[in-house]
Amino acid sequence: MYRLELDRTMCISCGNCIENCPELFEFADDGVSSLVGVEISDLQVKEFDDPSCSEKAAANCPVMCIKLYSNGEEIT
């Protein structure tokens, strides 16, 4: 199981996460990146089975506001 965390308070709305992983990220109405299907909050969390493109999105975030965990250990 993978856990993806997005700290929206750190986001600079560059769009790298959306470009790298549009199935998991989108711009919210406030112009800040958000996890698809997750209620808007300062810290968003989503759990899933396949890391898909989330590793690339986290690695390409210039402010490192995206964290990916596997079995409780941070991957990116």
Side-chain angles (χ1 to χ4, degrees):
M1 180 63 73
Y2 292 88
R3 177 184 171 96
L4 184 64
E5 295 181 358
L6 171 61
D7 184 345
R8 297 182 78 244
T9 65
M10 294 175 56
C11 181
I12 59 170
S13 301
C14 69
N16 284 352
C17 58
I18 297 166
E19 183 178 315
N20 286 291
C21 195
E23 55 266 29
L24 290 176
F25 295 91
E26 64 186 357
F27 281 122
D29 290 341
D30 61 2
V32 178
S33 293
S34 179
L35 292 173
V36 172
V38 177
E39 186 176 327
I40 300 297
S41 63
D42 287 347
L43 180 65
Q44 292 184 305
V45 176
K46 188 169 194 160
E47 292 186 349
F48 47 91
D49 293 325
D50 179 7
S52 175
C53 53
S54 59
E55 288 182 82
K56 188 173 182 183
N60 287 297
C61 178
V63 293
M64 300 172 62
C65 65
I66 302 168
K67 303 291 184 193
L68 181 63
Y69 299 88
S70 175
N71 299 319
E73 297 209 17
E74 187 174 339
I75 298 174
T76 58

